[in-house]
């Protein structure tokens, strides 16, 4: 460390930096000016030395200034440490270590944070003094030193746990082996801070499970049992977190102690500290996911279910309780708007968005309890109803739900309201419990559907009036719970009673869509979108009243909920399709949307959901959208042009680059191509779309732009390939490049759409794809050979595109067919019947005609692929397949060889081949 002794701060520099830091922490300071001055200082090579000096030694300065110096140092080191001279690196390290024992907790904590960053950047092998200093501090009996070292150690364990579980030159053992016994000792410290920090440090290793922890598991578990009833809530929370992680990572550790752990978790699930109860509540879902014997948990259900239900009632300090006034006219603040993520267009079978059903964002005990009940209902099914329903019934009118005789209610149930509560309650004092009862019904709607089914008409009839309850949060949860029963509500629509029920739910939700409370509006819109997806064309006779309500909401909603209305309109368009194409409906729907379209600028992010909404409307209306198409098409082109310029030169574009504008515009153009069909040709002909699209396909920085670009390329290939011709080879080459094996796993959705687009181009331009056929085939074959490791849709599209290339260029592809016939036929047999599958089989027949011997060794696989058809609708293709099979049977496989091949097939496959007369 002698090399560092020569560095000393200059008084002038020291004073200037302290003054600047003082300004920085002042709330009224000009942040941009301070930032510029800091940038100026950071040009001096010893600036970071000043910062560590201020943190460690400037005792005449306030703690806030010293802390500010430390936090600035931490940020600087991330970028500057590796380029600093070794003398300055040593100086900073040597000044930090004494801070571990600083008298002020904030200085200790800041030093610990910086030490952890240095360990992230350079590991511990080049800093042997650190491990020694930490060990010395932990061994001292000075609380400041022990806390400072423990704080730094816990941050290292959290940020880079693997560093301490690695071999370090000069050390006999890995650092974690040396520290673990000391951490266990601190579990019994009289100081809560040390118990907390030591436990949190060990917990970080549950996932990594180093040999030292594995060998000390009994000691760790004993320590957890000792800390289980700790007076400090933060320690109890960490105990719960440890049990949850252990059961996720290696349940066998807990198996001998499971009864005790479950019993403990039941107790702390009622902890007076909500954060402890929340951590405990995570245990039930983790247990169900861990594939442990359900018997162990089953006997506890009569005690667990009431606790979960009790915790599902709103807590008095829940922030949602503040959202219960009529706030529809209050504009949304920017921070109220959740970041939205447009999902790029995807051609295939398994890109369904996994939307969370929940309508609230902050994770808390109430929601964790509801999620736990949902998981338990999916695991135990109707078994939970005898415990749950009597509790729910406390808040319903008598007799609305009777349990079947096979499920006698448990003799004693701890209920929300203690003894003597009335069966029927509508008083204001119990609204939170009533709300939780409705939430519970929604939570178990999926898992307990069999047990609930005979009573669903009563349950739905009970919930419908709650849509008009005086409490907004009861109205909002009733929307959500009804949406969970959407399938039942729609199924009964064919009989009069069911149709009346459907209309009551529909009108109830539409009324709530026009509620004066934003939270209720949001819940109603989301619930209505779920109902729309289930009801589909059943909505057609009710379109006028639906559109009137949605467009009324469109006129009065603030920005955040407006996005949900767009989604409801788009879902409606997807659900009813061309039935929307009636002048009466379009007169209600389009003028407000067009007015909004004209009001928003090309750089306003509020245009995203509108672009998405227009995409669905264009697809639904088909040719009916042509009256609106020209301005929409032109605007998409303008947005893409502006954004491509902004990427290179934001100043002349007048906007900052944001790729999402390009993605949404490309997807809307795809919607137009799909809706208008060849009607889009005149618009494409008069535009620069072809060259813009090629640029987007080549945008290596933005996979989602490429994904949407290749989707549009495929859509345009279908409807107006002639306009792609001048750049056809460029499009084919850039699409083929996306299938490069090394890229496929990283950007599977891009590869998927590029693959599909090549196939669409192939069937339109035929022989003109021949220059890239072998390149593409060489990429598709590895995808088919590793099908089980890859995205299902990519495998399907690869098999179809390979078939289409074989159809248009059989003489090129058939030469190589023995390399891929087995994996290709296996993939073809997994595809559902449709036009694309027909094209692939045309390719199969063309290849076999060109090179019949190439498929001989794979004939069993080919027969299975042919048998995968439910019915080949094209008579011409059906006859071709017959000819192929007959050719093998009668010309190539004589003298019992055909029969031998057939004997290798399962009976159902042989039966399906009978329709081809073999």
């Amino acid at each position: 460390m002698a090399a560092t002794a020569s560095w000393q701060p200059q008084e002038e520099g020291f004073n200037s930096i302290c003054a600047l830091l003082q300004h920085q922490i002042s709330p009224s300071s000009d942040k941009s000016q301070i930032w510029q001055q800091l940038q100026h200082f950071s040009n001096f090579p010893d600036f970071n030395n000043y910062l560590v000096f201020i943190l460690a030694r400037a005792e005449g300065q306030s703690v806030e200034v010293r802390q500010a110096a430390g936090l600035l140092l931490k940020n600087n080191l991330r970028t500057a440490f590796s380029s600093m001279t070794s003398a300055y690196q040593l100086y900073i390290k040597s000044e930090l270590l004494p801070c571990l024992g600083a008298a002020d907790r904030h200085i200790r904590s800041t030093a610990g944070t910086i030490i952890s960053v240095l360990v992230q950047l350079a590991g511990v092998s080049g800093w042997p003094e650190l491990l020694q200093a930490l060990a010395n501090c932990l061994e001292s009996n000075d609380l400041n030193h022990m806390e400072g070292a423990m704080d730094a150690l816990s941050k290292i364990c959290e940020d880079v746990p693997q560093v301490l579980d690695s071999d370090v030159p000069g050390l006999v053992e890995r650092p974690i082996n040396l520290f673990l016994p000391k951490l266990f000792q601190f579990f019994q410290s009289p100081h809560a801070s040390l118990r907390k920090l030591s436990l949190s440090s060990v917990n970080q290793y549950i996932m990594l499970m180093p040999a030292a922890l594995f060998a000390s598991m009994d000691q760790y578990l004993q320590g957890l049992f000792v800390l289980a009833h700790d007076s400090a809530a933060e320690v109890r929370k960490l105990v719960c977190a440890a049990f949850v992680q252990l059961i996720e990572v290696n349940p066998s550790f807990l198996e001998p102690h499971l009864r005790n752990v479950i019993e403990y978790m039941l107790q702390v699930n009622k902890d007076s500290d909500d954060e402890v109860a929340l951590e405990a509540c995570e245990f039930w879902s983790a247990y169900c996911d861990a594939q442990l014997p359900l018997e162990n948990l089953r006997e506890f259900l009569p005690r667990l279910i009431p606790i979960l239900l009790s915790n599902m009632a709103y807590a008095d300090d829940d922030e949602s309780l503040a959202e219960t006034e009529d706030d529809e006219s209050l504009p949304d603040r920017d921070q109220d708007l959740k970041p939205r993520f447009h999902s790029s267009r995807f051609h295939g079978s398994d890109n369904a968005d996994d939307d969370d059903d929940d309508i609230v964002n902050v994770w808390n005990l109430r929601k964790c309890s509801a999620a736990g009940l949902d998981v338990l209902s999916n695991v135990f099914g109707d078994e939970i109803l005898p415990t749950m329903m009597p509790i729910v019934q406390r808040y319903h009118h008598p007799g609305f739900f009777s349990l079947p005789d096979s499920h006698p209610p448990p003799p004693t149930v701890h209920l929300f309201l203690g003894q003597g509560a009335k069966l029927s309650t509508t008083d204001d004092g119990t609204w939170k419990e009533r709300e939780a009862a409705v939430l519970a019904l929604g939570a178990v709607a999926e898992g307990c559907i069999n047990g609930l089914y005979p009573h669903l008409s009563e349950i739905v009839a009970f919930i419908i009036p709650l849509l008009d309850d005086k409490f907004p949060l009861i109205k909002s949860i009733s929307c959500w719970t009804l949406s969970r029963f959407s399938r039942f509500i729609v199924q009964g629509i064919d009989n009069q009673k069911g149709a009346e029920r459907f209309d009551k739910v529909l009108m109830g939700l539409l009324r709530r869509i026009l509620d004066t409370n934003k939270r209720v509006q949001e819940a109603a819109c989301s619930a209505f979108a779920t109902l729309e997806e289930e009801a589909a064309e059943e909505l057609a006779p009710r379109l006028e009243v639906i559109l009137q309500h949605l467009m009324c909401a469109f006129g009065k909603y603030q920005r955040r909920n407006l996005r949900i209305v767009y989604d409801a309109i788009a879902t409606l368009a997807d659900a009813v399709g061309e039935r929307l194409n009636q002048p009466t409906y379009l007169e209600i729907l389009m003028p407000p949307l067009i007015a909004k379209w004209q009001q928003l600028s090309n750089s306003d992010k509020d245009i995203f959901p509108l672009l998405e909404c227009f995409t669905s409307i264009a697809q639904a209306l088909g040719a009916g959208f042509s009256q609106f198409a020209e301005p929409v098409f032109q605007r998409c082109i303008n947005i893409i042009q502006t954004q491509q310029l902004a990427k290179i030169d934001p100043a002349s574009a007048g906007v900052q680059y944001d790729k999402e504008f390009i993605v949404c515009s490309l997807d809307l153009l795809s919607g137009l191509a799909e809706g208008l069909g060849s009607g889009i040709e005149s618009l494409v002909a008069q535009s620069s779309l072809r060259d813009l699209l090629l640029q987007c396909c080549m945008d290596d920085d933005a996979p989602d732009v490429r994904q949407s670009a290749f989707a549009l390329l495929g859509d345009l290939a279908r409807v107006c390939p002639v306009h792609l011709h001048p750049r056809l080879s460029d499009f084919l080459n850039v699409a083929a490049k996306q299938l490069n094996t090394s890229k496929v796993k990283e950007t599977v959705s891009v590869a998927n759409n590029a693959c599909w687009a090549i196939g669409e181009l192939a069937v339109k331009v035929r022989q003109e794809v021949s220059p890239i056929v072998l390149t593409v085939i060489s990429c598709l074959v590895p995808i088919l050979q590793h099908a089980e490791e890859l995205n299902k849709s990519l495998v399907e599209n690869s098999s179809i595109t390979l078939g289409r290339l074989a159809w248009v260029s059989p003489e090129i592809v058939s030469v190589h067919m023995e390399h891929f016939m087995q994996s290709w036929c296996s993939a073809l047999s997994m595809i559902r019947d449709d036009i694309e599958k027909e094209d692939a089989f045309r390719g199969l027949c063309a290849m076999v005609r060109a090179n019949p011997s190439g498929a001989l060794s794979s004939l069993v696989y080919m027969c299975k692929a042919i048998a995968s058809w439910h019915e080949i609708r094209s008579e011409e293709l059906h006859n071709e397949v017959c000819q192929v099979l007959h050719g093998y049977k009668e010309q190539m496989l004589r003298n019992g060889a055909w029969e031998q091949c057939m004997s290798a097939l399962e009976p159902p496959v042989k039966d399906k081949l009978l329709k081809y007369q073999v």
Side-chain angles (χ1 to χ4, degrees):
M1 288 288 175
T4 62
S6 57
W7 188 87
Q8 290 295 327
Q10 300 294 315
E11 192 172 347
E12 185 185 349
F14 171 79
N15 291 336
S16 301
I17 295 171
C18 286
L20 188 57
L21 293 170
Q22 187 64 56
H23 277 302
Q24 188 193 19
I25 59 178
S26 158
S28 58
S29 61
D30 179 347
K31 297 289 184 259
S32 63
Q33 188 185 359
I34 290 171
W35 187 80
Q36 285 175 348
Q37 289 176 277
L38 287 171
Q39 288 299 101
H40 166 71
F41 278 126
S42 64
N43 292 324
F44 293 99
D46 60 352
F47 176 51
N48 291 313
N49 293 17
Y50 277 96
L51 294 177
V52 77
F53 181 87
I54 294 166
L55 171 70
R57 295 180 183 263
E59 292 182 359
Q61 298 291 330
S62 69
V63 168
E64 290 77 13
V65 165
R66 294 170 66 190
Q67 216 181 346
L71 294 175
L72 184 55
L73 173 64
K74 176 201 75 171
N75 294 332
N76 288 355
L77 289 177
R78 289 190 187 281
T79 51
F81 184 73
S82 58
S83 57
M84 290 167 64
T85 67
S86 57
Y88 286 175
Q89 290 180 351
L90 281 172
Y91 177 76
I92 288 170
K93 289 176 177 179
S94 66
E95 289 295 311
L96 284 171
L97 294 182
C99 293
L100 291 173
D104 187 281
R105 182 170 55 86
H106 300 96
I107 302 297
R108 295 197 299 270
S109 176
T110 306
T113 303
I114 302 167
I115 286 168
S116 178
V117 167
L118 286 173
V119 171
Q120 287 174 58
L121 294 171
V124 292
S125 53
W127 194 4
E129 298 87 354
L130 170 64
L131 297 177
Q132 192 57 57
L134 291 173
N136 292 346
C137 288
L138 295 178
E139 290 297 338
S140 80
N141 284 321
D142 179 277
L143 182 57
N144 289 347
H145 281 80
M146 290 190 292
E147 256 188 23
M150 233 6 285
D151 178 74
L153 192 57
S154 73
K155 285 167 179 165
I156 294 168
C157 293
E158 184 177 350
D159 297 334
V160 272
Q162 65 281 8
V163 167
L164 299 185
D165 186 33
S166 307
D167 295 321
V168 177
L171 283 185
V172 181
E173 292 193 80
R174 293 181 170 189
I176 190 64
N177 301 13
L178 305 171
F179 285 120
L180 206 52
K182 193 66 193 172
L183 294 175
F184 288 147
Q185 267 181 34
F186 277 147
F187 283 11
Q188 295 174 42
S189 166
H191 304 287
S193 60
L194 295 178
R195 297 196 302 276
K196 182 192 111 178
L197 290 167
S198 58
L199 179 51
S200 104
S201 299
V202 180
N203 284 5
Q204 298 298 336
Y205 286 93
I206 294 175
M207 297 295 287
L208 282 178
M209 195 50 69
L213 181 56
F214 189 90
S216 317
M217 186 51 65
D218 285 344
Q219 191 181 353
Y220 179 38
L221 291 175
Q222 288 311 313
L224 290 175
F225 296 138
V226 168
L227 293 173
H229 299 287
D230 198 278
S231 57
E234 285 183 309
V235 174
R236 297 197 302 280
K237 180 180 165 185
L238 287 166
V239 172
C240 295
F243 286 138
V244 171
Q245 281 189 65
L246 282 167
I247 211 158
E248 287 172 343
V249 172
N250 195 334
S252 62
F253 290 138
L254 290 184
E255 278 200 77
H257 313 280
L258 260 182
R259 286 189 66 82
N260 289 339
V261 173
I262 292 172
E263 191 67 62
Y264 171 69
M265 287 305 201
L266 278 172
Q267 294 304 315
V268 276
N269 214 156
K270 300 181 287 188
D271 198 282
S272 56
D273 186 291
D274 269 2
E275 287 195 24
V276 177
L278 171 58
E279 202 64 60
C281 193
E282 300 282 4
F283 181 80
W284 313 115
S285 299
Y287 184 99
C288 294
D289 291 340
Q291 312 291 305
L292 283 162
L294 295 180
E295 287 309 314
N296 297 336
L297 192 53
R298 182 173 273 114
E299 65 178 283
F300 291 96
L301 290 178
R303 291 165 59 201
L304 171 58
I305 302 297
I307 292 170
L308 293 178
L309 288 169
S310 174
N311 286 341
M312 280 159 61
Y314 275 108
D316 292 337
D317 60 352
D318 193 302
E319 61 184 42
S320 300
L321 299 182
E323 299 171 13
T324 53
E325 72 278 9
D326 294 346
D327 56 359
E328 66 170 353
S329 57
L330 292 176
D332 291 325
R333 303 163 303 167
D334 282 344
Q335 60 263 43
D336 295 331
L337 299 175
K338 288 183 291 188
R340 56 169 307 291
F341 300 101
H342 174 81
S343 183
S344 298
R345 202 171 176 84
F346 182 89
H347 274 280
S349 59
D350 60 346
N351 197 45
D353 294 331
D354 184 18
D355 287 334
D356 185 2
D357 280 325
D358 213 333
I359 52 171
V360 222
N361 305 316
V362 182
W363 191 243
N364 56 24
L365 179 58
R366 159 193 163 77
K367 289 163 63 182
C368 186
S369 302
L373 187 62
D374 184 351
V375 171
L376 289 169
S377 74
N378 276 292
V379 171
F380 291 99
D382 302 337
E383 288 180 54
I384 70 172
L385 292 177
T387 304
M388 181 186 119
M389 289 315 294
I391 303 175
V392 169
Q393 254 178 307
R394 290 271 163 144
Y395 304 98
H396 301 346
H397 53 74
F400 107 91
F401 178 91
S402 308
L403 285 162
D405 293 339
S406 58
H407 284 307
T412 58
V413 181
H414 302 286
L415 299 172
F416 284 159
L417 286 182
Q419 297 309 307
K422 294 175 185 170
L423 264 176
S424 172
T425 67
T426 53
D427 60 293
D428 291 359
T430 61
W431 79 264
K432 290 179 190 170
E433 287 77 13
R434 286 195 293 133
E435 193 276 347
V438 179
L439 170 59
L441 287 170
V444 303
E446 191 180 286
C448 297
I449 191 65
N450 293 333
L452 293 175
Y453 201 84
H455 313 278
L456 277 184
S457 45
E458 296 131 276
I459 291 174
V460 171
F462 163 73
I463 298 173
I464 289 170
L466 297 180
L467 292 170
D468 298 302
D469 198 274
K470 68 184 273 192
F471 289 97
L473 292 171
I474 288 185
K475 291 191 280 191
S476 63
I477 203 61
S478 301
C479 292
W480 178 74
T481 294
L482 283 172
S483 77
R484 299 273 286 173
F485 294 116
S486 287
R487 182 161 298 170
F488 167 79
I489 292 164
V490 172
Q491 272 171 351
I493 208 166
D494 295 336
N495 60 65
Q496 189 189 342
K497 239 181 142 179
E500 285 171 7
R501 178 170 54 235
F502 177 82
D503 284 325
K504 279 183 182 171
V505 171
L506 177 70
M507 293 311 297
L509 290 176
L510 290 176
R511 273 199 311 280
R512 292 292 60 82
I513 282 173
L514 299 183
D515 201 272
T516 53
N517 175 271
K518 289 180 188 176
R519 175 75 171 270
V520 177
Q521 293 171 355
E522 180 180 1
C525 263
S526 297
F528 178 63
T530 305
L531 186 68
E532 285 177 311
E533 287 174 349
E534 202 62 57
E537 65 275 3
E538 300 292 356
L539 298 171
R542 303 158 172 89
L543 265 172
E544 189 166 353
V545 69
I546 292 171
L547 286 168
Q548 284 165 344
H549 279 79
L550 288 178
M551 299 327 286
C552 181
F554 186 82
K556 71 183 222 162
Y557 275 18
Q558 300 299 329
R559 286 167 64 203
R560 176 178 165 176
N561 283 354
L562 201 51
R563 296 173 176 185
I564 304 167
V565 182
Y566 285 130
D567 183 51
I569 295 168
T571 309
L572 181 66
D574 295 339
V576 299
E578 59 190 10
R579 293 178 184 79
L580 192 58
N581 194 14
Q582 300 289 334
T584 320
Y585 304 150
L586 296 183
E587 280 163 23
I588 303 171
L589 174 66
M590 293 307 290
L593 291 177
I594 289 166
K596 179 64 78 174
W597 171 262
Q598 290 165 345
Q599 177 194 332
L600 294 169
S601 79
N602 282 1
S603 57
D604 188 331
K605 292 188 179 187
D606 285 346
I607 205 169
F608 295 152
L610 181 52
L611 290 168
E612 290 170 1
C613 185
F614 269 142
T615 304
S616 290
I617 293 170
Q619 287 166 281
L621 295 183
F625 195 77
S626 52
Q627 57 182 307
F628 313 108
E630 199 277 331
V632 171
F633 180 92
Q634 196 49 54
R635 186 159 189 188
C636 288
I637 298 291
N638 294 344
I639 289 173
I640 296 169
Q641 280 176 326
T642 304
Q643 286 296 327
Q644 287 189 339
L645 176 60
K647 191 174 181 184
I648 308 158
D649 184 359
S652 55
V655 296
Q656 286 298 310
Y657 171 70
D658 183 339
K659 64 184 177 182
E660 199 158 2
F661 284 99
I662 299 181
V663 172
C664 286
S665 299
L666 290 169
D667 288 350
L668 178 45
L669 290 171
S670 276
L672 287 176
E674 200 173 309
L676 300 176
S678 56
I680 199 174
E681 193 169 339
S682 59
L683 295 172
V684 176
Q686 296 161 28
S687 75
S688 56
L689 176 58
R690 180 179 58 234
D691 294 333
L692 287 173
L693 180 58
L694 184 58
Q695 267 183 279
C696 293
C697 288
M698 298 166 75
D699 188 344
D700 286 342
D701 300 328
D704 36 2
V705 170
R706 297 204 307 282
Q707 181 180 333
S708 290
F710 287 113
L712 177 55
L713 178 63
D715 286 322
L716 292 177
R718 282 180 155 181
V719 296
C720 56
V722 65
H723 295 296
L724 300 171
H725 253 227
R727 306 298 295 271
L728 183 63
S729 65
D730 293 327
F731 277 119
L732 287 169
N733 283 321
V734 74
K737 193 174 135 193
Q738 310 307 313
L739 301 177
N740 187 309
T741 319
S742 60
K743 284 187 175 179
V744 163
K745 279 195 178 175
E746 294 164 37
T747 51
V748 68
S749 301
V750 179
N752 178 77
N753 287 2
C755 180
W756 173 77
I758 291 170
E760 291 295 338
L761 281 166
V763 294
K764 291 293 184 181
V765 303
R766 314 290 299 179
Q767 289 297 320
E768 291 176 67
V769 299
S770 54
I772 60 114
V773 165
L774 279 182
T775 307
V776 174
I777 297 287
S778 67
C779 293
L780 297 180
V781 171
I783 292 172
L784 297 174
Q785 288 170 339
H786 298 92
E788 64 288 343
E789 301 161 29
L790 291 166
N791 172 287
K792 177 183 165 208
S793 189
L794 175 62
V795 174
E796 284 184 10
N797 274 319
S798 297
S799 56
I800 289 163
T801 294
L802 195 154
R804 286 173 156 178
L805 293 173
W807 181 28
V808 300
S809 300
E811 69 292 342
I812 300 177
V813 182
S814 62
V815 180
H816 306 279
M817 61 197 281
E818 66 234 30
H819 296 303
F820 59 76
M821 277 300 288
Q822 290 188 9
S823 52
W824 182 44
C825 288
S826 296
L828 287 177
S829 63
M830 305 301 288
I831 300 175
R832 64 187 177 282
D833 294 9
D834 64 8
I835 301 285
E836 295 181 342
K837 184 169 179 174
E838 285 186 8
D839 286 352
F841 272 77
R842 288 191 177 94
L844 177 67
C845 295
M847 268 204 300
V848 169
R849 278 197 301 273
N851 180 13
S853 61
L856 262 180
S857 61
S858 311
L859 197 57
V860 169
Y861 291 88
M862 191 168 87
C863 288
K864 286 179 182 176
I866 291 168
S868 72
W869 280 97
H870 181 64
E871 178 191 2
I872 299 178
R873 296 208 169 172
S874 159
E875 191 180 340
E876 175 202 355
L877 178 59
H878 179 88
N879 293 338
E880 280 190 59
V881 170
C882 287
Q883 285 168 13
V884 164
L885 290 173
H886 279 272
Y888 281 112
K889 180 179 179 181
E890 290 161 16
Q891 293 166 28
M892 298 194 71
L893 293 172
R894 295 180 186 162
N895 305 325
W898 173 260
E899 287 71 22
Q900 190 181 347
C901 173
M902 289 297 103
S903 69
L905 297 173
E906 297 87 4
V909 174
K910 280 193 270 196
D911 292 346
K912 286 192 172 181
L913 292 178
L914 292 174
K915 65 175 84 164
Y916 304 102
Q917 289 95 46
V918 290

